[in-house]
Amino acid sequence: MNVLRLSDLAAAGRVAGRRVFIRADLNVPLDDTGRIAEDTRIRASVPGIRAALDGGAAVMVTSHLGRPTEGDPKPADTLAPVAARLSELLGREVRLVKDWVDGVEVAPGQVVLLENCRLNKGEKKNDPALAKKLAALCDVFVHDAFGTAHRAEASTYGIADHAAVACAGPLLAAEIDAITRALAQPRRPLVAIVAGSKVSTKLSILQSLARNVDRLIVGGGIANTFLLAAGMPIGKSLAEPALVDEAKAVIAAMAARGAAVPVPTDVVVAREFKADATATVKAARDVGPDDLILDIGPETAAALAGQLLEAGTIVWNGPVGVFEWDAFAKGTETIARAIARSPAYSIAGGGDTLAAIDKYGLAADIDYISTGGGAFLEVLEGKTLPAFEILQKRAKDATA
């Protein structure tokens, strides 16, 4: 994907003495006392900030945090805890600036954090007047927040449209490269794992993947709907009977290409949806009317693991069972460990997927872990993200 990159600008000396505005994704979870509970996104933003500072820039960083009301700041909306953590990670003071839209004082070699950008009126609707004000603050705009790449907001899209120079930061650039490698230029066979509670939330993704992948593995409630489509009993399991025809259409689309949607041959069931419920392995055809399917069975997990070990590229979104409960986690663990062992290029995204990777300590064995949730899903669906669109447009304008 042809976009201008911060690394190229820094290497060419084009950020020295310049005002650089970085849109990062610092939307981290806070505990009840307002302290940061998990700082992965902050740590992921550091390379982009360092690159700009090392290049001699005056650096401004902003992000959203939570879901504030525009123009109505509350104590829980402040980025103050993030500023403190960034100061620790960078080894220098990161001053928090409020009411920054009309001007920011920052010198080359300094970095400031601009208060929660979603407090600005017009941010979410990409108000043109606000976007132009943001662009006027900087000489170079850097988009380094893949988690917001699917949103056309003032601090993600409008500013990129109006800034003198707009480029991708290292985090966003890495996402572009990983997604291109996995979906646009895959080593085959290309295997996609899509799991979740409902087909309806991921139907368009399944339909899009059915046109491209060699094997489509479904899990969770989605798999139950596909079991119904295959004429199998699912008892009281979560499913969407109204979407059985859509599931059949996905299976048919795959079959027309000589590809497959493997349906579980065995499952793990319980009579109650709770962590200490008795787990029983059954053949899929033997699921009873009072059973809840909460995981794939060992036979199915082993068969899928074998397919993953033979894959060329793996895209993973969603655990295949209720992995948070150990009695129903073996399927997800088997899948996760097979992906980690596979020689395939692997990319994983989505909050539950990352939680599973973390639970089994496999982060180092997955080739790329996407930081985006909604953005990752939209890419799987085949959509062009607004952030990619505007950066590509600006790159073309620069070479025209």
Side-chain angles (χ1 to χ4, degrees):
M1 190 176 293
N2 182 28
V3 301
L4 190 60
R5 300 176 183 231
L6 175 60
S7 56
D8 298 329
L9 294 177
R14 292 177 59 188
V15 300
R18 302 290 181 90
R19 295 167 64 86
V20 172
F21 186 115
I22 300 176
R23 176 51 160 102
D25 183 3
L26 308 173
N27 184 30
V28 293
L30 305 176
D31 64 20
D32 292 338
T33 67
R35 294 180 178 177
I36 295 168
E38 203 279 325
D39 71 348
T40 298
R41 285 176 172 171
I42 301 176
R43 288 184 282 109
S45 74
V46 167
I49 298 170
R50 284 198 190 282
L53 287 171
D54 291 347
V59 183
M60 297 165 277
V61 183
T62 195
S63 172
H64 70 289
L65 179 71
R67 297 182 177 182
T69 301
E70 291 182 2
D72 184 22
K74 294 179 174 61
D77 301 329
T78 183
L79 287 172
V82 176
R85 182 61 179 136
L86 268 179
S87 296
E88 294 171 354
L89 292 169
L90 292 169
R92 65 175 75 199
E93 180 191 9
V94 178
R95 178 169 50 92
L96 181 65
V97 180
K98 299 180 181 180
D99 301 321
W100 48 269
V101 170
D102 292 314
V104 180
E105 290 187 13
V106 57
Q110 293 181 338
V111 54
V112 296
L113 182 62
L114 310 180
E115 186 59 283
N116 197 328
C117 59
R118 284 198 183 153
L119 290 171
N120 298 327
K121 290 184 178 180
E123 164 66 14
K124 294 193 73 172
K125 291 187 177 180
N126 189 23
D127 178 70
L130 175 61
K132 289 175 182 177
K133 279 191 172 186
L134 303 189
L137 295 174
C138 64
D139 302 302
V140 177
F141 168 67
V142 181
H143 197 316
D144 208 26
F146 180 68
T148 69
H150 60 311
R151 301 185 187 279
E153 299 178 341
S155 69
T156 62
Y157 190 96
I159 186 174
D161 198 18
H162 295 289
V165 176
C167 67
L171 187 60
L172 188 68
E175 294 276 359
I176 291 172
D177 292 342
I179 289 165
T180 299
R181 181 173 175 181
L183 295 175
Q185 301 165 355
R187 188 170 72 239
R188 298 207 178 250
L190 169 57
V191 179
I193 304 165
V194 179
S197 59
K198 295 182 177 182
V199 171
S200 55
T201 60
K202 295 185 178 178
L203 179 60
S204 55
I205 296 167
L206 294 168
Q207 292 169 332
S208 178
L209 290 173
R211 296 190 289 269
N212 189 30
V213 304
D214 301 298
R215 187 164 285 110
L216 179 58
I217 296 171
V218 292
I222 292 174
N224 296 336
T225 301
F226 275 78
L227 280 167
L228 281 179
M232 306 293 280
I234 65 166
K236 294 182 178 178
S237 307
L238 176 67
E240 293 176 286
L243 293 180
V244 163
D245 287 344
E246 282 78 0
K248 288 180 178 179
V250 170
I251 294 171
M254 291 285 288
R257 297 177 42 249
V261 183
V263 174
T265 57
D266 64 339
V267 293
V268 181
V269 302
R271 292 296 178 93
E272 298 176 280
F273 187 78
K274 59 182 186 178
D276 60 354
T278 300
T280 305
V281 177
K282 289 188 175 184
R285 63 178 177 276
D286 294 333
V287 172
D290 294 325
D291 287 332
L292 293 167
I293 300 172
L294 301 181
D295 194 11
I296 57 173
E299 178 182 275
T300 300
L304 295 178
Q307 294 171 10
L308 292 168
L309 291 171
E310 296 174 354
T313 305
I314 300 170
V315 179
W316 180 21
N317 175 252
V320 296
V322 188
F323 78 99
E324 297 90 346
W325 298 341
D326 289 345
F328 309 103
K330 293 182 177 61
T332 296
E333 181 177 4
T334 299
I335 293 295
R337 295 195 183 282
I339 294 171
R341 293 198 313 274
S342 176
Y345 176 74
S346 55
I347 177 171
D352 288 342
T353 312
L354 305 195
I357 291 170
D358 183 64
K359 179 175 181 176
Y360 304 119
L362 299 174
D365 300 308
I366 307 298
D367 289 297
Y368 193 80
I369 296 176
S370 175
T371 57
F376 184 72
L377 292 176
E378 290 200 13
V379 169
L380 292 189
E381 194 175 333
K383 292 182 177 179
T384 298
L385 303 185
F388 293 0
E389 174 195 346
I390 189 62
L391 291 178
Q392 284 181 294
K393 175 180 178 292
R394 292 306 308 276
K396 289 180 181 177
D397 292 344
T399 57

